Structure formats: C-alpha cells, structure tokens
Amino acid sequence: MARVFGVSVSRSTVLRLLDALPEPEAPAPRVVGVDEYATRKGRVYGTVLVDVETRRPVDLLPDREASSLAKWLAERPGIEVVCRDRAPFFAEGARAGAPQATQVADRWHLWHNLGEAAERAVARHRQCLPVLVPQPASDGEERDDPTPPEETLTSPWKSDRFANRIRARHATVHAMLDAGHSRQLHMTHRTVKSLADAARPEDLFHGQWQYNRTSALDDYKPYLDDRWNEGATNAWKLWEEIVLLGYKGSYGIVSAYIRKKRTSPRPVTAQPPAPRLVTRWILSRPESLTEIEQLRLKSVLANCPELDALTGHVRSFATMLTERQGERLPAWLDAVRQDDLPSLHTLAAGIDRDRDAVTAGLPLPWSSGVVEGHVNRIKMLKRQMFGRAGFQLLRKRVLLA
C-alpha cells in the first residue's frame, strides 16, 4: 500500500506506527459476550470480548484461560450480563470475575449440542433404519448364477477396469520402489505416496465409482422400487411422479437408476438412510419436511420406540427454545432421564451442571450471535495478515477497525 501511495517507508516502520496508535476509549460494557477464536486451530486459542449492546469489540485476550477472563471481568464491576457458550473455562472465569453478573448460555449452542446428542442416539439405533429398504420378493426358486459374495468385496465399482487399473498401478509402484527407482513412474508425488502407503490395492478402493455413494435420488428409491414392482417401467413417467413429491434432481439420474434395474442381473435396491439424514428429519419442523420424508420418518419411529422418544424430546426442547419457556427445563430434564437414551443423558447432565445459565438463556433476549460474527471477522483479518506481527497487530486491527 505504501508503494501505491508513493510513500517510501519500510514494513517495520508501518507496524511500529500502528502499534503506537492509542486504543479507543470504549465505555464499560453492561452486557458482554465472550467466545474463543483460534490463532492455530486445534492448538492455540484466544478470547474475544464484545459489547453486545453496541455490537463493538471491547478487547482480545491472548488465551482462553479462566483466570485471564476472571481478571478482565474483575476490573469492570459494572458488567451485569455475560453471554457465552457452554465451555467450562468461560463459566468458571465468569463466576470468579463477575459473581454479580447473570450468565446467559447461548441458545444456538444449546440447539447444536442437542443435535449432536440426537445424531449419536440415531447412530446407536441404526439397526432400525433398514426398515425403509424394501425387501425383494421371494419367488421360491434359486438363481441360476448367483453372484458370489466375494465379488462385492473385490470389485466395488461398476466396472472392473477401475479396480484393475489401481491394482496395476499399485504393483508397479511397489516394484519400482523395491528396486530403488523412484523417478521413473511418471506420476505425481501425491499419487505415488498414496499407492506406496497402501499395503493392499483394495485399501484404495474408494471414490466416485462406488455403489454406495449418496445421491439426490436416495430418498425416492423406495418409491421407485415399489412402482417398478407394480409394473411402471417408463423412466420419464416415474421422474414426473417423484418431482411432484419434491425431487429436485435431473431426469438423467432417474433414467440411469431404471436402466440398471432393466440390465443388471442383481436387484438394485435403495440404501438405508444415513443416521445424519434421519437426524435432520428429527430436528426439522414437521411442516418443512416433504411428504416422502414425513412418511419415511414415520416408518422409522413406528419401528423404534427409542427414536420415537428421542423425537418427542427434541420437539419439546424446540418448543421450549422458540417460545422462551425456561421454567419447563427441569421437567424436560426429568423426562429425558426416564428413557434409554445415553447420549441425551450426557447432555442432560451437562445442562444440569450449567442450569442457571441455560435457564437464563431461554427467556432473556441476549445471545452470542454478535460475538460469532466478530470471530468470523477475526478469521478474515488473520488471512489478510498471514500471521505477521502476532497477537499485538491482530488486537490493534480488531479494536481500531
């Protein structure tokens, strides 16, 4: 930028002048939001503090220790509300540094925690999900040429040529490496490394040509299977029918699926939905689901009492969250403990330890949304600076912007 304006100055001088700038005199906040940001993701974290009422950053701390937050809060006795997520170090720091303040647990984080617990519960009962896959009708006679079970394991792709290509490349790479020749392979370093690291070529059998890839058609395959068994074989007509049910994919995907049913000696059937997809159905508003999603969810819940109970607890919590009914939290926790849902028991135990903040977060208007926005802004500033000058420069840019 100095060159653009024709100013002859070094980078060190610019950084020194920027560091000498006075910090803005911000009034003591009454409602402060606290969250962490990463300086090295997964390793080093700091703390950002925001005045929730003015939506302006107040300070940055170089770590996320409870003692640092407690010290900062203790120097500002006028703080009345502390908005935070459910991280234990922020809870401890707020209790020690601002015992007079009301701690407010962020509602989005509560819903996110519930979603994670619900997905673990669905994964634990994944044996209930194949009920959505129609079973092939038994015709009382064996096939003339049954497909050997080993074929699926050794040939996971639609054509053997992809498997054979990887087997040939794997053998070539290991032969050349054993002979000490590493620069005659005419492959990229990444390709050679992946082939050399694999003990068997079968370890590399993954990618876009596998049968088990998910697609936009997965939710509608049971319907297509039923219509196929009823004698409907026109791909265009079947595509028009599922479009009315909410399908947004192309006709080509439907045509390819029907073509496989015509030509493949093996029956083509739908895959059971992934636990994450079923979790999305449970977490969504019932009226926002398509008709086919509602029917599939109803089928799962009818065959699994645990997931039926989970859905009831999730929707009860959603009502409590959206209608700001914090007084219903104790009854919800008691109801959760009555069912065999270990992941929800873990969530309930964590909420119980932080019950005051969660109860306050449900009816009060404060949240950590503005703090999350500043965390994203800090990520942008970090990318612009590429780590130059460390924490001090980052703090200046956040506070002076």
Side-chain angles (χ1 to χ4, degrees):
M1 184 177 290
R3 285 197 297 270
V4 171
F5 288 104
V7 179
S8 179
V9 62
S10 69
R11 291 175 295 176
S12 299
T13 300
V14 172
L15 292 177
R16 186 170 63 251
L17 293 173
L18 180 61
D19 189 56
L21 290 175
E23 296 180 4
E25 290 291 337
R30 186 180 69 90
V31 182
V32 65
V34 183
D35 204 351
E36 62 185 11
Y37 67 91
T39 52
R40 291 188 65 190
K41 188 174 181 179
R43 299 190 179 187
V44 183
Y45 288 86
T47 302
V48 57
L49 299 110
V50 178
D51 187 335
V52 176
E53 292 182 305
T54 64
R55 310 178 74 86
R56 295 284 300 173
V58 179
D59 207 347
L60 258 67
L61 305 180
D63 55 50
R64 58 177 181 181
E65 299 297 326
S67 56
S68 301
L69 177 61
K71 179 181 178 182
W72 189 92
L73 293 173
E75 295 171 353
R76 295 159 179 82
I79 293 176
E80 300 177 9
V81 179
V82 177
C83 301
R84 58 172 179 81
D85 58 21
R86 295 180 52 242
F89 39 85
F90 288 149
E92 180 183 348
R95 280 193 300 268
Q100 79 286 351
T102 300
Q103 296 189 43
V104 173
D106 183 59
R107 291 182 292 278
W108 182 89
H109 287 91
L110 289 172
W111 184 249
H112 180 67
N113 297 150
L114 178 62
E116 292 177 330
E119 185 173 353
R120 292 195 299 271
V122 174
R124 186 169 181 262
H125 295 88
R126 65 173 68 243
Q127 71 275 6
C128 300
L129 305 185
V131 71
L132 297 180
V133 179
Q135 300 298 321
S138 175
D139 54 7
E141 53 182 317
E142 296 181 357
R143 295 169 56 103
D144 293 335
D145 52 349
T147 303
E150 291 81 4
E151 182 177 332
T152 302
L153 297 176
T154 57
S155 300
W157 290 305
K158 302 175 185 177
S159 171
D160 284 340
R161 66 191 181 94
F162 300 103
N164 293 337
R165 180 189 301 170
I166 284 195
R167 290 192 183 99
R169 286 186 173 185
H170 183 271
T172 301
V173 166
H174 280 266
M176 299 293 284
L177 291 178
D178 291 342
H181 304 295
S182 60
R183 297 184 180 273
Q184 303 177 17
L185 300 174
H186 304 291
M187 301 179 191
T188 65
H189 169 75
R190 180 173 296 179
T191 302
V192 173
K193 186 176 186 304
S194 65
L195 291 167
D197 291 344
R200 303 177 304 125
E202 287 75 16
D203 295 339
L204 299 167
F205 284 1
H206 57 80
Q208 62 175 330
W209 301 103
Q210 284 186 280
Y211 282 111
N212 59 355
R213 287 190 74 214
T214 59
S215 75
L217 190 62
D218 285 346
D219 290 344
Y220 305 91
K221 286 180 179 178
Y223 177 83
L224 294 177
D225 292 340
D226 291 340
R227 296 287 290 127
W228 176 270
N229 293 332
E230 294 169 3
T233 59
N234 187 305
W236 184 267
K237 294 293 185 182
L238 292 173
W239 174 71
E240 290 180 333
E241 290 178 15
I242 62 175
V243 165
L244 297 178
L245 295 176
Y247 174 69
K248 299 184 182 301
S250 67
Y251 161 74
I253 299 177
V254 179
S255 177
Y257 184 74
I258 298 302
R259 189 183 310 116
K260 283 192 295 182
K261 296 181 80 67
R262 290 196 185 101
T263 60
S264 175
R266 293 176 292 184
V268 180
T269 58
Q271 296 290 330
R276 177 166 294 184
L277 178 60
V278 177
T279 304
R280 182 182 68 79
W281 295 343
I282 294 174
L283 294 175
S284 300
R285 293 177 181 269
E287 60 271 17
S288 68
L289 298 176
T290 64
E291 181 180 354
I292 195 167
E293 288 174 338
Q294 293 179 14
L295 292 175
R296 299 189 78 190
L297 177 60
K298 184 178 179 180
S299 178
V300 170
L301 302 186
N303 287 273
C304 188
E306 290 82 4
L307 294 186
D308 188 37
L310 170 68
T311 304
H313 295 314
V314 167
R315 291 177 177 174
S316 175
F317 193 88
T319 301
M320 180 171 57
L321 200 66
T322 55
E323 297 183 4
R324 308 291 184 83
Q325 298 172 342
E327 68 279 0
R328 293 177 51 187
L329 180 63
W332 185 85
L333 295 174
D334 293 338
V336 164
R337 296 188 180 101
Q338 301 302 316
D339 292 312
D340 183 21
L341 297 167
S343 60
L344 282 194
H345 293 175
T346 303
L347 174 67
I351 290 178
D352 214 16
R353 289 191 295 269
D354 204 18
R355 181 181 291 201
D356 291 341
V358 174
T359 304
L362 291 175
L364 293 179
W366 312 112
S367 73
S368 299
V370 62
V371 190
E372 296 292 345
H374 281 285
V375 170
N376 286 331
R377 179 167 160 264
I378 290 173
K379 293 177 184 177
M380 179 197 67
L381 294 176
K382 282 170 50 189
R383 294 186 182 103
Q384 288 179 342
M385 299 189 306
F386 297 99
R388 295 189 186 100
F391 171 75
Q392 292 301 327
L393 177 59
L394 178 63
R395 182 173 181 272
K396 284 286 186 179
R397 290 203 64 181
V398 170
L399 296 181
L400 293 177

